[in-house]
Amino acid sequence: MPSRVNGSTHGRHPRRRRYDASGRRARAAERRDAVVTAAREHFLADGFVATTVAAVAADAGVSVESVYKWFGSKAGLLRAVWDRSLAGSGPTHAERRSDAGSRRATDGATVIRNWARLAAEVGAVADPVLRLVESAAHVDPEAARLRDAIERERTARMAHNAAYLVEAGYLRDGVTPEQARDVLLLYTTFYDRLVKQSGWTPEQFSAFVERGLTAHLLP
């Protein structure tokens, strides 16, 4: 048998501890999340042009170099703020809740009622960011590319939603999937005009969306 000296075992390689990187990843995720939070506050308060990466980094307690490493640019920060806004304010991402609700629904009215509720929830956090992106697109080429990408993604998402009505047989005769997609896109653009500018409550907005989508899309 190998001899032991001072608690060590000669003739054997010491067992290495497995490095657990989960804590480091969690801390890095928290720092990135703090950057996105600070960026949203600065963008909405000061606008895209006046917001500086240095100010965002300082508020988040990270270095400017880290912000650029994680997000690439100020427009990349804006992209991260937009992506987070799509999650809504519920316990899980709004898109996952939308899909789950559509799959569980037993009629088209239930599908649309769920969409209308989520439209109000997501609109409250996403619509100000979308307006910001549209404004930034006029002064920053990368922000303009972001605006175009968001519009493509929104169109694809509404086509995805419309497919639930098509596949379940809920869509009104004479309405094409493309028309259903376009109607869904239209009704997701009214939040700022009605709630922020005209003083509607989110509940009133949700009811408006539900009535409109029902009238246009269901038999």
Side-chain angles (χ1 to χ4, degrees):
M1 294 178 65
S3 62
R4 295 178 180 272
V5 179
N6 296 328
S8 65
T9 303
H10 291 289
R12 295 180 182 175
H13 294 292
R15 181 176 295 175
R16 295 180 178 178
R17 290 185 177 180
R18 181 175 297 173
Y19 175 65
D20 184 3
S22 59
R24 179 175 57 83
R25 289 194 296 268
R27 289 189 295 273
E30 289 174 359
R31 290 195 295 270
R32 288 194 295 271
D33 190 63
V35 171
V36 177
T37 297
R40 179 184 174 90
E41 293 173 354
H42 275 279
F43 282 140
L44 295 183
D46 306 327
F48 180 80
V49 173
T51 295
T52 66
V53 172
V56 171
D59 280 3
V62 304
S63 67
V64 171
E65 291 75 15
S66 292
V67 176
Y68 281 112
K69 177 183 177 182
W70 293 330
F71 302 100
S73 64
K74 188 161 69 169
L77 262 180
L78 185 55
R79 172 84 213 204
V81 171
W82 166 253
D83 287 343
R84 181 199 279 183
S85 73
L86 294 179
S89 55
T92 59
H93 198 288
E95 290 183 353
R96 291 196 294 273
R97 284 181 282 139
S98 174
D99 289 343
S102 295
R103 287 191 296 267
R104 289 194 304 266
T106 57
D107 55 73
T110 303
V111 173
I112 284 180
R113 187 173 303 112
N114 185 50
W115 287 346
R117 180 182 58 80
L118 288 171
E121 178 192 315
V122 175
V125 289
D127 205 75
V129 181
L130 184 57
R131 302 285 85 79
L132 180 68
V133 172
E134 292 170 345
S135 176
H138 294 294
V139 296
D140 185 274
E142 191 176 352
R145 291 191 291 273
L146 173 59
R147 175 202 58 197
D148 295 343
I150 287 173
E151 190 59 26
R152 290 192 298 271
E153 291 161 8
R154 290 180 66 245
T155 300
R157 179 65 197 181
M158 293 306 113
H160 170 87
N161 286 347
Y164 282 111
L165 298 179
V166 175
E167 292 166 6
Y170 299 147
L171 189 62
R172 167 184 283 182
D173 289 343
V175 178
T176 68
E178 293 76 19
Q179 289 169 336
R181 174 203 64 199
D182 294 342
V183 168
L184 287 167
L185 270 172
L186 177 66
Y187 274 88
T188 61
T189 64
F190 290 143
Y191 189 90
D192 182 79
R193 177 66 181 85
L194 295 178
V195 178
K196 298 297 183 181
Q197 297 183 40
S198 299
W200 288 32
T201 67
E203 293 75 18
Q204 288 172 325
F205 173 77
S206 181
F208 164 77
V209 171
E210 182 177 351
R211 288 193 300 270
L213 293 182
T214 298
H216 284 93
L217 301 180
L218 299 187

